Amino acid sequence: MKSFRYPPGRIHLLRLDTDSDLSDSITAYAEQHGITVGWVNFLGAVRHASLRYYDQEAKRYEDFVVDEPLEVVAGVGNISLLEGRPFIHIHAALTDEAGHGRGGHVNSGTVVFAMEVMIQELDGVPPSRELDDCTGLTLW
Ligand code: ZN
C-alpha cells in the first residue's frame, strides 16, 4: 500500500456548459487554476457517454459508447500528475430512462447536458502516476 497525506485546499464548484465535453472541461479548469492534486465529485446528465472498461485479464481498455441521454447518478474522480501534467481520472454511474445502470471510466467524448461538479483541491506535492506492472495501469 502507498499512502499520501494532504491538508485540504480550496473547494471549487462548477456548472459545466451544455454540450461541453465532461472530461475535457474538468481538465481545462484544473489546468487554468493550477490544480494538480484533488478529488472530484459530480452529478447531472449527459447527452451520450463515451466510456471504457478495463479488462483485467488482457490488461487493456475496451472503449464503448452509450448513445442516449443518461442521468449521472454518481460521478467520482481524482486529479494527479501524469507525465508532469494534471490528469483527471473520472468514473461515472449512469442510468437510462428505465433506471437501468451503465457506467465505467469516462473518456473524452462524453457530452454534458447539465453537470454540477465539486473539486476538492488538496495542498501539497501531487502524486505522479507510474506504470504498475501488477495491474498494467498507471497508478499513484
Ligand atoms: Zn478509470
Side-chain angles (χ1 to χ4, degrees):
M1 177 193 304
K2 281 186 176 179
S3 67
F4 306 88
R5 280 164 294 285
Y6 294 97
R10 299 173 293 178
I11 292 176
H12 304 250
L13 297 179
L14 322 176
R15 192 194 82 185
L16 304 186
D17 295 333
T18 299
D19 295 324
S20 65
D21 186 286
L22 174 57
S23 177
D24 293 353
S25 295
I26 297 172
T27 298
Y29 184 88
E31 287 179 347
Q32 287 166 8
H33 293 83
I35 303 170
T36 55
V37 57
W39 202 257
V40 179
N41 288 94
F42 55 95
L43 78 163
V46 295
R47 293 192 185 278
H48 64 91
S50 178
L51 304 171
R52 65 178 21 179
Y53 169 82
Y54 191 67
D55 183 325
Q56 297 176 20
E57 283 296 315
K59 293 185 177 178
R60 72 167 178 261
Y61 285 104
E62 296 178 10
D63 293 336
F64 62 101
V65 170
V66 183
D67 195 14
E68 61 184 296
L70 299 159
E71 292 287 318
V72 178
V73 295
V76 65
N78 57 49
I79 303 171
S80 59
L81 289 182
L82 178 66
E83 298 170 355
R85 296 188 57 206
F87 177 74
I88 310 303
H89 182 200
I90 54 176
H91 287 197
L94 310 161
T95 56
D96 64 17
E97 64 181 338
H100 295 140
R102 319 277 179 84
H105 175 109
V106 178
N107 282 338
S108 288
T110 297
V111 178
V112 168
F113 177 72
M115 196 66 60
E116 296 170 341
V117 180
M118 184 187 83
I119 300 172
Q120 167 68 70
E121 189 175 0
L122 301 170
D123 264 344
V125 177
S128 284
R129 292 182 171 276
E130 300 168 353
L131 181 62
D132 174 63
D133 290 332
C134 184
T135 62
L137 297 166
T138 53
L139 303 172
W140 300 337

